[in-house]
């Protein structure tokens, strides 16, 4: 049963700290194991990748790369209705992310000085896609489409073999829709290492994105600096703020839509309406019985879920900004009035008919979101994550001479005399 609690300031702060504590523990044994795998792959390439794939997945292909012809054959019997739905979702995702694209620019001045910025897509990006019971084709669209819009040179996808030794056909279908260039049937920390270091067959990438288990997440964390990564994602989370106009059956369904991800997921409702709180708790118990992942939902709800009864909606907004949740639903009479008050959230869902799964699958904004309170300073995955920027400067001799004394003075104050000399020799000329 989900807990219902009176939410004064002290309770809310303690509850937030308890949620942060669930992801703050660093499992040193996992780091040690992953570090060993990374070193092995760096030193032994494909042989190490194959060995770990056999060990952890129970099967390793003779040839890790899947050709386009093989993808066509493996996806031939995908449900046409599913493919059509994915294509419509991809269209929405492209439309939303296309508006994020930045342009290179030149800023000329009347004095002949030119400055500007060049925007380029990364050379090569790796996308990790889980397989097995956590096979999410929607994540392929969300990770690959922004990279395509950014004009990344090559997108390499890795995904582990399933129990049959074959990839998930729906993941491959999503890869084809999104525009993945190459696909390798490998997974785990060894796949992330292969992308970071490069092997005889797997090309080295500049960045790795995509979700994975604790070993994948730890590999990304340890390799940050060798490659760039999207983020270190924690357990999924949803916060719903609701007034008396909200519907308990909707609230219960939405809370469980995140609780089913993981026993560590958190699902929280905060409302000033005690009757709504009780009705929602009852709805959770009723609806849970019909859901396939009810055991996971039950554990998540019991350990990290809560319904908090606050004094008013202002308190609910304060709690939301302090928690900085991954997903935030605003189920209120006038949800748009809150948009300017909610500063910290990965993605905000406004109104009773904008449930979180709409964002997960279809609307267009990215579902790769900051977790564990990091929405205070991180943003959702976007086209910006797949570009790099270079600035450039062109000064004429006359303009440099105008600035020379200022530059020399600053350099000498910082005791960097070689910097000052670089300007001085031009001034003497």
């Amino acid at each position: 049963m989900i807990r219902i609690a009176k939410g004064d300031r002290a309770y809310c702060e303690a509850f937030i700290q308890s949620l942060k504590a669930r992801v703050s523990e660093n499992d040193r044994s996992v780091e040690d194991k992953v570090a060993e795998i990374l070193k092995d792959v760096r030193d032994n390439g494909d042989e190490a990748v194959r060995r770990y794939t056999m060990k952890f997945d129970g099967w390793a292909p003779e040839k890790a790369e899947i050709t386009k012809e093989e993808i066509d054959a493996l996806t031939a019997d995908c449900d046409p209705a599913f493919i059509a739905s994915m294509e419509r979702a991809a269209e929405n995702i492209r439309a939303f992310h296309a508006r994020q694209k930045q342009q290179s620019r030149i800023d000329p001045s009347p004095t002949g000085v030119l400055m500007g910025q060049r925007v380029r897509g990364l050379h090569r990006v790796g996308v990790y896609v889980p397989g097995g019971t956590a096979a999410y084709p929607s994540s392929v669209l969300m990770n690959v489409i922004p990279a395509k819009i950014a004009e990344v040179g090559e997108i390499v996808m890795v995904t582990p073999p399933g129990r049959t030794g074959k990839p998930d056909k729906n993941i491959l279908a999503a890869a084809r829709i999104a525009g993945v260039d190459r696909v390798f049937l490998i997974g785990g920390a060894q796949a992330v290492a292969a992308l970071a270091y490069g092997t005889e067959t797997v090309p080295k990438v500049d960045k790795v994105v995509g979700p994975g288990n604790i070993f994948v997440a730890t590999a990304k964390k340890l390799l940050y600096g060798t490659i760039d990564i999207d983020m270190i994602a924690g357990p999924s989370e949803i916060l719903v703020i609701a007034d008396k106009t909200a519907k308990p059956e909707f609230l219960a369904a939405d809370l469980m839509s995140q609780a089913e991800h993981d026993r560590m997921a958190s699902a929280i409702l905060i409302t000033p309406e005690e009757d709504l709180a009780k009705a929602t708790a009852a709805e959770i118990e009723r609806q849970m019985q019909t859901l396939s992942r009810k055991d996971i939902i039950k554990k998540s709800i019991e350990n990290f879920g809560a319904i908090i009864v606050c004094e008013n909606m202002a308190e609910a907004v304060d709690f939301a900004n302090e928690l900085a949740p991954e997903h935030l639903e605003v189920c209120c009479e006038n949800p748009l009035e809150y948009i300017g008050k909610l500063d910290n959230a990965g993605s905000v869902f406004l109104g009773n008919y904008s449930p979180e799964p709409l964002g997960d699958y279809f609307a267009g904004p990215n579902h790769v979101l900051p977790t564990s309170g990091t929405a205070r300073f991180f943003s959702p995955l976007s086209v910006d994550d797949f570009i790099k920027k270079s600035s450039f400067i062109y000064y004429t001799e006359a303009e440099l001479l105008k600035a020379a004394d200022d530059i020399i003075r600053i350099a000498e104050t910082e005791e960097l005399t070689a910097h000052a000399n670089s300007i001085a020799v031009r001034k003497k000329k």
Side-chain angles (χ1 to χ4, degrees):
M1 185 74 174
I2 193 167
R3 78 190 90 171
I4 300 178
K6 289 286 186 181
D8 59 20
R9 181 77 183 176
Y11 176 85
C12 289
E13 288 179 354
F15 186 69
I16 289 170
Q17 290 306 312
S18 72
L19 290 178
K20 290 179 179 178
R22 85 194 195 282
V23 295
S24 63
E25 295 181 4
N26 183 22
D27 190 333
R28 185 65 190 179
S29 66
V30 172
E31 284 203 4
D32 290 344
K33 290 174 185 174
V34 171
E36 182 181 331
I37 292 170
L38 302 186
K39 182 179 184 303
D40 197 358
V41 173
R42 185 188 62 196
D43 294 343
N44 298 299
D46 285 342
E47 187 274 324
V49 173
R50 180 177 173 78
R51 184 166 14 93
Y52 288 116
T53 302
M54 182 68 76
K55 178 180 179 180
F56 297 128
D57 296 313
W59 192 91
E62 284 296 326
K63 182 172 64 69
E65 186 167 8
I66 308 170
T67 66
K68 286 183 169 58
E69 292 74 21
E70 289 170 328
I71 291 173
D72 290 341
L74 288 164
T75 59
D77 63 343
C78 283
D79 179 5
F82 167 76
I83 298 299
S85 293
M86 289 289 283
E87 287 175 342
R88 286 191 288 272
E91 186 177 331
N92 292 341
I93 295 164
R94 286 191 192 97
F96 180 85
H97 288 82
R99 293 190 287 274
Q100 297 174 341
K101 188 172 183 180
Q102 298 187 44
Q103 302 295 326
S104 298
R105 71 174 197 272
I106 298 176
D107 303 322
S109 77
T111 61
V113 170
L114 294 176
M115 287 179 285
Q117 180 173 267
R118 185 181 176 195
V119 179
R120 291 168 285 173
L122 299 179
H123 176 58
R124 184 182 290 122
V125 166
V127 178
Y128 188 95
V129 182
T133 57
Y136 301 131
S138 59
S139 285
V140 179
L141 303 185
M142 293 291 183
N143 282 279
V144 174
I145 289 173
K148 295 295 288 188
I149 291 169
E151 299 181 13
V152 168
E154 185 175 52
I155 300 172
V156 181
M157 188 179 92
V158 295
T159 188
R163 293 188 182 94
T164 62
K166 293 182 179 180
D168 184 280
K169 64 182 180 181
N170 293 325
I171 284 176
L172 293 183
R176 187 168 58 181
I177 291 168
V180 170
D181 296 298
R182 299 177 71 181
V183 179
F184 290 83
L185 194 56
I186 54 175
Q190 65 271 22
V192 181
L195 290 170
Y197 297 127
T199 70
E200 298 89 330
T201 58
V202 180
K204 181 178 180 179
V205 304
D206 301 310
K207 182 167 189 163
V208 173
V209 300
N213 63 19
I214 188 170
F215 293 94
V216 171
T218 302
K220 288 167 67 177
K221 177 183 175 182
L222 294 178
L223 287 165
Y224 178 63
T226 300
I227 51 168
D228 190 17
I229 61 172
D230 46 358
M231 62 185 73
I232 304 294
S236 189
E237 53 201 32
I238 184 170
L239 171 66
V240 182
I241 63 175
D243 66 13
K244 62 184 178 182
T245 65
K247 300 180 184 297
E249 61 270 31
F250 290 3
L251 301 178
D254 295 355
L255 291 168
M256 291 188 291
S257 74
Q258 290 310 289
E260 76 169 341
H261 272 297
D262 184 351
R263 289 174 173 83
M264 297 285 285
S266 67
I268 305 164
L269 167 66
I270 185 165
T271 177
E273 305 297 327
E274 189 167 356
D275 288 344
L276 181 66
K278 293 176 179 177
T280 301
E283 273 293 317
I284 289 173
E285 290 300 309
R286 185 185 69 80
Q287 292 183 31
M288 188 189 305
Q289 307 312 314
T290 67
L291 302 174
S292 61
R293 296 170 71 90
K294 65 181 180 182
D295 291 341
I296 294 173
I297 293 170
K298 188 172 187 293
K299 286 291 186 184
S300 168
I301 289 290
E302 287 177 350
N303 294 330
F304 304 110
I307 297 177
I308 300 171
V309 181
C310 58
E311 284 294 320
N312 50 49
M313 290 301 295
E315 276 193 4
V317 169
D318 288 344
F319 180 79
N321 282 327
E322 184 67 25
L323 182 63
E326 179 186 18
H327 307 99
L328 173 60
E329 286 191 9
V330 183
C331 297
C332 301
E333 186 174 10
N334 296 305
L336 291 175
E337 75 175 79
Y338 292 95
I339 194 68
K341 303 172 184 177
L342 295 165
D343 298 324
N344 300 329
S347 190
V348 181
F349 302 81
L350 299 166
N352 290 319
Y353 295 93
S354 305
E356 188 279 335
L358 176 67
D360 266 355
Y361 296 123
F362 197 75
N366 211 285
H367 78 196
V368 181
L369 304 170
T371 62
S372 307
T374 59
R376 291 179 295 110
F377 45 83
F378 280 147
S379 304
L381 191 74
S382 72
V383 173
D384 290 346
D385 290 291
F386 298 99
I387 63 171
K388 59 181 178 180
K389 304 170 188 175
S390 302
S391 58
F392 57 86
I393 301 167
Y394 170 79
Y395 262 53
T396 63
E397 180 181 1
E399 288 301 306
L400 177 64
L401 293 177
K402 284 183 188 177
D405 289 343
D406 289 328
I407 300 169
I408 291 169
R409 189 175 297 113
I410 294 169
E412 289 178 343
T413 300
E414 294 185 351
E415 298 183 0
L416 295 174
T417 55
H419 280 64
N421 182 60
S422 173
I423 303 300
V425 294
R426 288 169 170 79
K427 186 179 177 182
K428 294 174 183 176
K429 181 175 177 296

